[in-house]
Amino acid sequence: MINFFFIFIILNLIIFLNIKKISKFVNIFDVPDKKLKTHKKKTPLIGGTIILLNLFLLIAYQIIFLGEFFFLEKEYFKTIDIIGIFILILSFYLLGLYDDKYNLNPLKKIFLSIILIFISITLNKELIIFNFSLSFYDSRIFLENFSLIFTIFCFIVLMNSLNFYDGINGQSCIYFLVVFSYLLILTKRYEFYGLILIILFFLLVLNLKNQLFLGDNGIYVLSIILSIALIYEHNVYKNIIFADEIFILLLLPGLELIRLTITRLLKGKNPFYGDKDHIHHLLIKRNSLIKTNLILAIITSLPIILFKVLVLNFFLVFIFFLIIYGFIILKMKKNAS
């Protein structure tokens, strides 16, 4: 496996050195409009392409040489499970790529997402959430006939919240670095999450150097990989026991999704179309890019530390975080006015 880590790093160095050729081949760019898109030059949207190149190399190596899939031994997975995961990752990469190119209508995007998720989880039953436990509730909750609906809902909410959250260079890469680092420490699955972190590190460097944006294709692929990882850690590996632990990991982007949706509706705006009211927009008005990303990284990590390290009650963590989040939003808005 050490040799493969070396190959993996070499592959990303080759990608790093040939980023312009890859960008020209994909030929999808984010062009500044001086409104929401204030970057200075057109930037390639190839985050998902780079992740996919790495991921397919990883999967091919595992299946051919190790008899594993996502570091799960051969006897624990079926061919149909692999097909379900392949369809899920590849279809959302293509959906994101199409959205980056043609700006797909949000309602059509959600409708297509529901169909793609339904097909994939029907093929791979391990991705369906049939039941879950909560740290503050003694009985296990069984979803029965609502399992499919609930699972699809979870996928959609996670993807949309992370899409809403994305906005400035480094922001999403840092968020995923924090979450996947937590999963690596929690599960001791060093190979898989370690390789994901290597990909994210290279993406972060390229993103901060303005050589690429993740784009919807990158956010969708990372969101799907995270969704699969969280469900597998809960359903198969049993490393995540309580559902509220997942809620804690997604607390910041989740609150952003709720706040922005409500405020846009109250203003009579379409909640699916962007504005400059995101937390990163508010922070970067008074801080540098590095300081803004550092603040966001701390905010992302805070509920995880409170819940898992200090072992505080879920409701205490949620209320404390809500106060911190609300204070930052109000303070930044006050300073901006």
Side-chain angles (χ1 to χ4, degrees), residues 65-229:
F65 295 104
L66 303 180
E68 297 177 351
F69 178 67
F70 275 19
F71 298 99
L72 186 65
E73 292 180 8
K74 201 168 186 178
E75 59 265 28
Y76 293 106
F77 67 81
K78 303 173 185 175
T79 303
I80 197 70
D81 295 339
I82 298 175
I83 293 171
I85 290 176
F86 265 117
I87 289 174
L88 195 57
I89 294 173
L90 185 58
S91 61
F92 273 98
Y93 164 70
L94 294 173
L95 179 64
L97 213 60
Y98 186 89
D99 191 26
D100 285 328
K101 184 78 173 179
Y102 300 107
N103 197 21
L104 189 62
N105 178 280
L107 291 178
K108 289 182 180 178
K109 192 161 47 179
I110 290 176
F111 178 72
L112 285 171
S113 298
I114 291 170
I115 292 173
L116 293 172
I117 294 166
F118 176 78
I119 292 170
S120 302
I121 66 177
T122 301
L123 292 172
N124 186 342
K125 299 292 193 298
E126 298 290 0
L127 291 172
I128 301 175
I129 305 167
F130 291 102
N131 56 77
F132 60 86
S133 295
L134 298 169
S135 63
F136 51 84
Y137 187 67
D138 291 335
S139 300
R140 196 164 187 83
I141 298 170
F142 292 89
L143 297 167
E144 298 179 351
N145 295 332
F146 295 99
S147 295
L148 276 174
I149 296 172
F150 181 77
T151 303
I152 293 171
F153 172 78
C154 289
F155 270 100
I156 295 294
V157 169
L158 185 145
M159 287 175 54
N160 278 281
S161 62
L162 293 175
N163 203 21
F164 266 59
Y165 183 70
D166 184 51
I168 60 172
N169 285 3
Q171 179 183 356
S172 289
C173 288
I174 290 170
Y175 171 81
F176 283 109
L177 279 167
V178 170
V179 173
F180 280 113
S181 294
Y182 170 76
L183 290 175
L184 180 143
I185 295 167
L186 175 73
T187 67
K188 306 295 189 292
R189 208 174 307 287
Y190 300 115
E191 299 96 338
F192 178 64
Y193 293 122
L195 293 172
I196 294 292
L197 292 173
I198 290 172
I199 300 170
L200 286 168
F201 174 77
F202 276 98
L203 286 173
L204 176 63
V205 173
L206 290 167
N207 189 209
L208 290 175
K209 288 169 66 69
N210 283 308
Q211 292 189 338
L212 65 75
F213 290 159
L214 289 178
D216 284 343
N217 66 88
I219 293 295
Y220 285 178
V221 170
L222 283 170
S223 298
I224 287 298
I225 293 171
L226 179 57
S227 299
I228 293 169

